[in-house]
Amino acid sequence: MLQCVFFLSDSGEVMLEKQMTAHRVDRSICSWFWDYVLSQGGDPSKILPVIASPTHYLFQLYRDGIIFLACTQVEMPPLMGIEFLCRVADVLSDYLGGLNEDLIKDNFVIVYELLDEMMDNGIPLTTEPNILREMIAPPNIVSKMLSVVTGKNSNVSSKLPDATASCIPWRKTNLKNASNEVYVNLVEEMDAIFNRDGSLVKCEIYGEVQVNSHLPGLPDLTLSFSNSSILNDVRFHPCVRFRPWESDQILSFVPPDGEFKLMSYRVKNLKSTPIYVKPQLISDAGNCRVTVLVGIRNDPGKTIDSITVEFQLPFCVASANLTSNHGTVNILADKTCSWSIGQIPKDKSPSLSGNLVLVTGLEKLHMFPVFQVGFRIMGAALSGLQIHKLDIKNAPTQPYKGFRALTRSGEYEVRS
């Protein structure tokens, strides 16, 4: 049972407080939490998701500069608290078109209304975005103008959605005007770490099966993969029937209407990456010569675009002069060097070179940067996961089915 939820900025300021039960949680718990964050280095993204304070158990989620903090004094499954905060962040991002401090403050009425419907007396209740949209209208310019004119700020519908009393609470009832189509997208992020010798230390993929369904009636879908044995740490939407997956590795489900995340997974111990980044730093006599080469290591058969390389200049660097033979190089005020490459040309390999001038009195560079690499590949799932078949039952007519794959970089690091 969650007793309270706080929204904090990345500076520790309390933006919003929602008491979930009659037992009030004092706001001083936020001060204790922020002191704990500072004692652990000051980076909220590096803090453990579950923390035991002297008086409460705390669950925290850091998303887009906002800390979602939930408190309880009773024993409860930790994953329930973490999953609820993830659902809150996803729903708010969907409703508000993003997630930042200004959006939360500008739409605090809707945020409170959503929290009221998503939890009842500390117990998660309605967390499906499609049903919440029927209960609480998303913000728009017209609704804001009407609230100013009429003085009524509530966006809550006076009628309870039919699906809340259904055995399938995630789907609207009596859908008739749907476009009779369904799209399945494989969206993957590659995490990789290369050591200073260029050896691959870690490479794995976090992926999601995202579905956009617009089917009439009550369709029953079955999705199968050609090589589901490579999947680890699978996690499903509530619409998935677990028994068919457990016995035959098949996803059987009645989909919600609209976009939703059907499944997430992880593929571990991959042996190759699509591109290479080879940094070389030679330091002597108060200067450091930098050379960075970028190229294709394993061609995925699709275009690799949106390639970027970023690294933080060490604090002992007084000035930097860096140029590239392809793309643009920018050095920001916080000493972050950003090299935007785009696509790799066929006639040359992109390279960045230049000189770093160290502060007076320092002969050699003793702190070497970590290079963060970004890229995107449309039409390819680098995990090797392949969709075998999508069957649709209870459909009045044959629907259109579309499939697409996308791989992008996640935590892709090259150490120098």
Side-chain angles (χ1 to χ4, degrees):
M1 177 187 293
L2 294 178
Q3 296 172 323
C4 186
V5 173
F6 297 97
F7 291 9
L8 283 73
S9 67
D10 52 8
S11 61
E13 176 193 357
V14 179
M15 297 188 297
L16 185 144
E17 171 188 342
K18 175 63 177 174
Q19 301 289 337
M20 298 295 186
T21 64
H23 180 79
R24 182 176 179 81
V25 178
D26 193 86
R27 188 177 283 199
S28 61
I29 192 65
C30 297
S31 300
W32 183 94
F33 169 77
W34 190 247
D35 290 340
Y36 174 82
V37 172
L38 296 178
S39 69
Q40 299 298 313
D43 188 354
S45 64
K46 305 295 183 183
I47 302 300
L48 294 173
V50 182
I51 305 166
S53 77
T55 57
H56 295 79
Y57 295 107
L58 305 180
F59 306 95
Q60 72 91 19
L61 172 71
Y62 182 73
R63 183 83 66 85
D64 296 331
I66 298 176
I67 304 170
F68 298 87
L69 183 67
C71 311
T72 184
Q73 287 181 309
V74 299
E75 292 286 345
M76 62 173 286
L79 286 178
M80 187 180 80
I82 298 170
E83 175 65 17
F84 177 75
L85 293 181
C86 289
R87 289 293 183 96
V88 170
D90 291 341
V91 167
L92 291 180
S93 180
D94 181 49
Y95 257 78
L96 307 180
L99 204 57
N100 59 54
E101 188 173 345
D102 292 333
L103 284 173
I104 295 293
K105 291 181 177 180
D106 291 343
N107 299 277
F108 73 94
V109 173
I110 285 184
V111 174
Y112 274 109
E113 291 171 347
L114 286 170
L115 290 175
D116 276 334
E117 300 299 338
M118 295 181 71
M119 179 162 284
D120 182 24
N121 196 33
I123 305 299
L125 185 62
T126 304
T127 59
E128 185 59 45
N130 292 321
I131 304 305
L132 287 170
R133 282 182 174 275
E134 290 189 64
M135 302 170 72
I136 302 171
N140 54 52
I141 296 177
V142 175
S143 63
K144 290 182 178 180
M145 291 179 62
L146 287 175
S147 67
V148 172
V149 174
T150 63
K152 297 180 180 179
N153 292 325
S154 177
N155 295 280
V156 181
S157 172
S158 59
K159 181 182 177 182
L160 194 66
D162 296 334
T164 55
S166 168
C167 60
I168 308 175
W170 54 83
R171 184 172 177 83
K172 300 177 183 177
T173 58
N174 300 321
L175 275 172
K176 297 179 181 179
N177 298 323
S179 54
N180 200 31
E181 57 188 10
V182 58
Y183 300 92
V184 180
N185 299 326
L186 296 181
V187 180
E188 298 187 339
E189 287 189 356
M190 173 174 280
D191 298 336
I193 297 176
F194 290 86
N195 64 16
R196 59 184 302 173
D197 298 325
S199 301
L200 184 61
V201 177
K202 168 192 171 184
C203 185
E204 63 181 31
I205 279 181
Y206 170 80
E208 295 180 354
V209 180
Q210 298 179 357
V211 179
N212 190 0
S213 172
H214 298 283
L215 300 172
L218 196 65
D220 199 320
L221 279 63
T222 302
L223 179 66
S224 59
F225 303 100
S226 300
N227 49 350
S228 57
S229 59
I230 66 174
L231 302 179
N232 297 283
D233 303 336
V234 293
R235 175 183 166 200
F236 304 110
H237 188 277
C239 69
V240 176
R241 303 179 181 100
F242 186 65
R243 186 166 294 177
W245 174 264
E246 192 175 36
S247 59
D248 302 315
Q249 304 286 283
I250 292 175
L251 294 174
S252 175
F253 59 99
V254 176
D257 184 58
E259 298 181 8
F260 67 100
K261 181 172 68 175
L262 177 67
M263 168 189 178
S264 65
Y265 59 88
R266 197 176 298 276
V267 179
K268 302 179 180 180
N269 301 322
L270 297 176
K271 303 300 182 184
S272 63
T273 59
I275 63 176
Y276 67 80
V277 176
K278 296 180 179 179
Q280 185 179 24
L281 288 83
I282 302 174
S283 181
D284 189 28
N287 292 277
C288 182
R289 183 68 183 172
V290 179
T291 304
V292 183
L293 300 177
V294 177
I296 296 178
R297 185 190 303 272
N298 292 297
D299 192 347
K302 301 290 183 179
T303 302
I304 307 175
D305 59 13
S306 302
I307 300 175
T308 60
V309 178
E310 290 188 357
F311 62 96
Q312 186 78 30
L313 295 177
F315 68 91
C316 57
V317 173
S319 63
N321 182 20
L322 301 172
T323 59
S324 66
N325 66 349
H326 183 76
T328 58
V329 180
N330 294 305
I331 300 178
L332 306 180
D334 61 352
K335 286 190 172 183
T336 298
C337 179
S338 176
W339 179 20
S340 179
I341 300 172
Q343 296 183 13
I344 296 178
K346 296 181 179 179
D347 57 341
K348 60 182 177 182
S349 295
S351 66
L352 178 145
S353 60
N355 187 58
L356 307 179
V357 179
L358 308 183
V359 295
T360 304
L362 189 64
E363 288 294 316
K364 291 186 177 181
L365 188 66
H366 299 289
M367 296 179 60
F368 295 92
V370 175
F371 292 80
Q372 306 283 345
V373 183
F375 62 85
R376 185 184 65 176
I377 307 174
M378 294 293 297
L382 295 187
S383 66
L385 184 65
Q386 296 179 347
I387 294 176
H388 173 60
K389 186 170 55 173
L390 175 63
D391 292 328
I392 302 177
K393 300 177 182 177
N394 300 337
T397 58
Q398 184 63 30
Y400 175 80
K401 296 181 283 187
F403 303 92
R404 189 172 60 177
L406 165 67
T407 300
R408 56 185 174 227
S409 60
E411 295 292 330
Y412 197 104
E413 297 183 354
V414 179
R415 296 169 182 172
S416 60

